[in-house]
Amino acid sequence: MRNILNGIKAIELIIKEMLVIVIAATLLISNSLEAQTGSGDKSAGENTPIRMRERITDCEWVSIPPGPYTYGKGNQSLSIDYEFFIMKYEVSNEQYQSYLTLALAQGRLGLVNDTTVQGYYAGDKFWNPGQREFLDLDDKDCRIHYKAGMFLVEKGYEDHPVVEVTWFGANAFATFFKYKLPTERAWEK
């Protein structure tokens, strides 16, 4: 039984890591959206500090209507009986940097240094509560950096999709802004 549970936990980890780019790229909200506008303050320089905001204000949402869809490799016919909204474009470096800045100021991040951003995950049926990596700052593809107590985005990459975000980091981002990540079935729809 213990080996089965360990196997299930390993499969869950693989699935979460495989879906991290997809999950981090889009967020789901299942209630109505207010019209939101705004943009970041893009200052000159090698790295750009972006203004903080309380909500994601510079994104476009699309409605996904209820109804049937094809699911999985076996093309199983399923249906979702509710409308939901999903971000049309991936979460940008600027948007994720804004979240990190606000979360750090509110004491919602754990270990933060020039190589990693970690935070607390409350746990679920597969993961115990504890500190988890949210963003791998040390990866060469990451365009967000932490220097002198500030999160900075490399100039010219503000509107590029954020990368090197783990599932835990995507979940923390969504939760912080009172959104939720799409379920596997909602994402398939």
Side-chain angles (χ1 to χ4, degrees), residues 64-88:
I64 308 298
Y69 66 98
T70 304
Y71 176 77
K73 290 181 183 177
N75 294 325
Q76 183 180 6
S77 181
L78 297 177
S79 184
I80 289 183
D81 62 355
Y82 54 88
E83 175 186 35
F84 61 91
F85 293 84
I86 196 162
M87 288 176 66
K88 185 174 182 177

Side-chain angles (χ1 to χ4, degrees), residues 40-45 47-51 97 150-153 158:
D41 173 24
K42 296 177 174 82
S43 310
N47 295 310
T48 308
I50 309 298
R51 72 176 171 85
Q97 181 272 347
M150 292 179 57
F151 290 102
L152 306 169
V153 176
E158 297 87 358

Side-chain angles (χ1 to χ4, degrees), residues 3 14 40 42 50 55 73 75 89 91 118 123 130 135-138 142 178:
N3 288 340
I14 290 167
K42 296 177 174 82
I50 309 298
R55 299 284 292 167
K73 290 181 183 177
N75 294 325
Y89 303 105
V91 174
Q118 296 182 9
L135 180 64
D136 182 3
L137 296 172
D138 201 30
C142 186
K178 296 182 176 49

Side-chain angles (χ1 to χ4, degrees), residues 101-141:
T101 301
L102 287 167
L104 182 64
Q106 294 177 15
R108 291 184 168 188
L109 297 178
L111 176 65
V112 177
N113 60 39
D114 62 344
T115 63
T116 189
V117 176
Q118 296 182 9
Y120 183 76
Y121 179 65
D124 58 33
K125 64 182 180 179
F126 299 105
W127 294 95
N128 291 327
Q131 292 292 312
R132 303 281 185 239
E133 184 169 56
F134 287 0
L135 180 64
D136 182 3
L137 296 172
D138 201 30
D139 190 278
K140 66 179 178 56
D141 295 323

Side-chain angles (χ1 to χ4, degrees), residues 19-87:
L19 294 176
V20 76
I21 293 173
V22 171
I23 292 170
T26 57
L27 296 173
L28 168 75
I29 182 170
S30 59
N31 56 349
S32 62
L33 296 170
E34 298 175 7
Q36 301 178 359
T37 60
S39 62
D41 173 24
K42 296 177 174 82
S43 310
E46 181 181 319
N47 295 310
T48 308
I50 309 298
R51 72 176 171 85
M52 295 185 298
R53 43 183 175 242
E54 294 297 323
R55 299 284 292 167
I56 305 171
T57 58
D58 56 349
C59 59
E60 188 175 337
W61 297 84
V62 293
S63 170
I64 308 298
Y69 66 98
T70 304
Y71 176 77
K73 290 181 183 177
N75 294 325
Q76 183 180 6
S77 181
L78 297 177
S79 184
I80 289 183
D81 62 355
Y82 54 88
E83 175 186 35
F84 61 91
F85 293 84
I86 196 162
M87 288 176 66

Side-chain angles (χ1 to χ4, degrees), residues 165-179:
V165 175
T166 66
W167 180 89
F168 299 105
N171 185 62
F173 175 90
T175 302
F176 186 86
F177 289 114
K178 296 182 176 49
Y179 299 123

